[in-house]
Amino acid sequence: MAVSKCTRLSGPLIQELLDSVDNFLFDCDGVIWRGEQAIPGAPEVTNLLKKNGKRVFFVTNNSTKTREMYAEKMAKLGFLAKTEEVFGTAYCSAVYLKHIAKLDGKVYIIGGNALSKELQKVGIQTVGAGPDPVFGGQSDWADVPLDPEVKAVVVGFDEHFSYMKLSKALKYLDNPDCLFVGTNTDSRLPLEGGRAVPGTGCLVRAVETAAQRKAQIIGKPSHFMFDCVVSEYGIDPARTVMVGDRLDTDILLGFNCGLKTVLTLTGVSNLDEATAYQESHCPERTGMVPDYYVETIADLLPALQG
C-alpha cells in the first residue's frame, strides 16, 4: 500500500487496509464514544470487524476506570467487547509494576479507586487514594509521616490532587530507590463545546518538578502500552493499525511501534494540525502524521457491510 501519508481513507483504499491488517487498536473517547454516547456507527464497525475475523483491542490513557468498568460501559453502548480486550493505563501500570519492575512493597498513589483496584488485583497494596487536605504549616508538610513499606509512587488522574499529596510524593521520591510511574502525560481533557479541564499530565509534571525526577510513563505514546497487548496476544505490528483522535498520543504510538495509523476527526486533533506537521519536515513532528484519516470510523462501514 504505497500511498503518501495523511491520505483520506475512502473507496478501494479501505478494503486495501482491511486486507493488510489482522488487528485493530482503538482509542476510546473521541473515537468510539464521546462522553456517555457512542459515536454513530462505531459499535457496528468494531462488531463487524470481529465478525470478519479481525482482532479488536481498546487502548486508553484514561486511568479512572478498571478493565471491567470499561467493558460494562461498552456493553451498554452496544460494543461486543471482552474485559481482556481493554488496555487502560490503570491496568497497564499494574502490569508494569508487577511483572517488569517486580515491585516488592506498597504503592503511594495519586489517583482514584480504579487505579487502586487494578494494583490490588495483582497483589500490590496501595495507600493515598481519596482526599488528603492540607494541615498545619511548612514544617508539618516537610515532616509528614510516611509509610515505610511504600516502594513506588504512581500518578494518575486525581480530582483530589492537593498540596499535601504533592508533599508526600516528594518525600517518598527523595529516596532514589522509590520507583516513579505516571499513567500518561495528557495535559488537557477535552469536553463538549470546546471546553477542557486539566489532565493527568499536569499532575505528573507537578510531581516531577517537586521531586526533580522524571516519571516512567505507561500510556500512549509510550511503547509499553503496545507491549502490554503484544505480551498477551502476540500480535504482529506489521499487521496492526492504530485508530485514534490525538496526533500526540494515538498516532505517535503507532509510529513508535511500527503500526499503520488512522486519525479520526471526531475528537481532539484536526486535519490542519496533521497537514502542518507533515509540511514542517521536522523529525519530531512527522511521527505524528497519520497514514490515513477519516471523518469518523463509521466511514469503514460500507466496506465491512459489503
Side-chain angles (χ1 to χ4, degrees):
M1 293 172 32
V3 296
S4 62
K5 298 271 279 184
C6 210
T7 299
R8 173 70 181 267
L9 188 60
S10 61
L13 271 182
I14 297 178
Q15 192 59 55
E16 287 184 35
L17 176 65
L18 291 173
D19 292 341
S20 72
V21 297
D22 303 314
N23 316 293
F24 278 76
L25 306 184
F26 286 96
D27 179 43
C28 295
D29 196 32
V31 178
I32 63 172
W33 64 56
R34 287 196 199 94
E36 299 304 315
Q37 299 293 322
I39 287 177
E44 291 82 357
V45 167
T46 61
N47 296 346
L48 282 171
L49 283 170
K50 288 186 173 185
K51 185 178 179 181
N52 291 347
K54 307 298 184 184
R55 289 193 289 187
V56 175
F57 305 97
F58 304 93
V59 291
T60 172
N61 275 358
N62 192 325
S63 66
T64 64
K65 289 182 173 63
T66 63
R67 298 178 104 184
E68 290 79 9
M69 292 166 70
Y70 272 113
E72 289 173 10
K73 178 174 181 176
M74 289 174 182
K76 290 178 181 176
L77 296 180
F79 296 92
L80 301 177
K82 299 176 182 177
T83 299
E84 57 267 27
E85 294 168 340
V86 180
F87 291 81
T89 51
Y91 170 74
C92 292
S93 295
V95 170
Y96 175 81
L97 289 171
K98 181 70 173 181
H99 300 292
I100 306 301
K102 301 188 184 304
L103 182 74
D104 182 18
K106 296 179 182 178
V107 171
Y108 176 69
I109 66 168
I110 293 176
N113 290 330
L115 182 56
S116 182
K117 287 179 180 177
E118 291 288 17
L119 290 166
Q120 290 169 7
K121 277 191 287 185
V122 298
I124 297 174
Q125 295 184 58
T126 67
V127 296
D132 192 0
V134 72
F135 66 88
Q138 291 182 351
S139 180
D140 300 297
W141 309 334
D143 295 328
V144 65
L146 302 181
D147 186 328
E149 295 182 45
V150 166
K151 304 299 181 184
V153 171
V154 178
V155 182
F157 184 78
D158 189 347
E159 67 269 36
H160 299 296
F161 186 70
S162 66
Y163 192 84
M164 186 57 71
K165 291 191 176 192
L166 184 60
S167 297
K168 288 181 178 178
L170 182 158
K171 287 205 66 178
Y172 281 122
L173 292 170
D174 273 344
N175 177 358
D177 294 326
C178 184
L179 299 176
F180 182 17
V181 171
T183 60
N184 67 87
T185 56
D186 295 16
S187 59
R188 291 159 64 94
L189 301 178
L191 305 176
E192 293 288 349
R195 298 173 300 158
V197 295
T200 302
C202 300
L203 312 188
V204 173
R205 295 296 181 238
V207 177
E208 286 183 332
T209 302
Q212 299 181 348
R213 290 177 55 178
K214 287 293 184 182
Q216 170 68 47
I217 303 302
I218 299 299
K220 299 171 291 184
S222 168
H223 207 293
F224 185 73
M225 199 82 173
F226 182 64
D227 292 343
C228 279
V229 185
V230 173
S231 68
E232 295 184 27
Y233 290 93
I235 64 177
D236 179 3
R239 301 282 301 177
T240 303
V241 59
M242 175 72 219
V243 184
D245 70 310
R246 296 185 71 130
L247 299 173
D248 60 343
T249 56
D250 304 317
I251 303 308
L252 187 55
L253 172 80
F255 176 81
N256 289 341
C257 299
L259 318 179
K260 297 175 178 66
T261 55
V262 177
L263 173 71
T264 177
L265 302 179
T266 49
V268 174
S269 298
N270 58 55
L271 188 57
D272 288 342
E273 292 176 78
T275 302
Y277 289 164
Q278 186 175 32
E279 294 174 350
S280 74
H281 303 295
C282 171
E284 292 181 358
R285 293 186 174 185
T286 52
M288 293 186 281
V289 179
D291 295 317
Y292 306 98
Y293 73 90
V294 291
E295 293 294 331
T296 164
I297 64 168
D299 290 355
L300 303 182
L301 271 177
L304 292 169
Q305 292 170 332

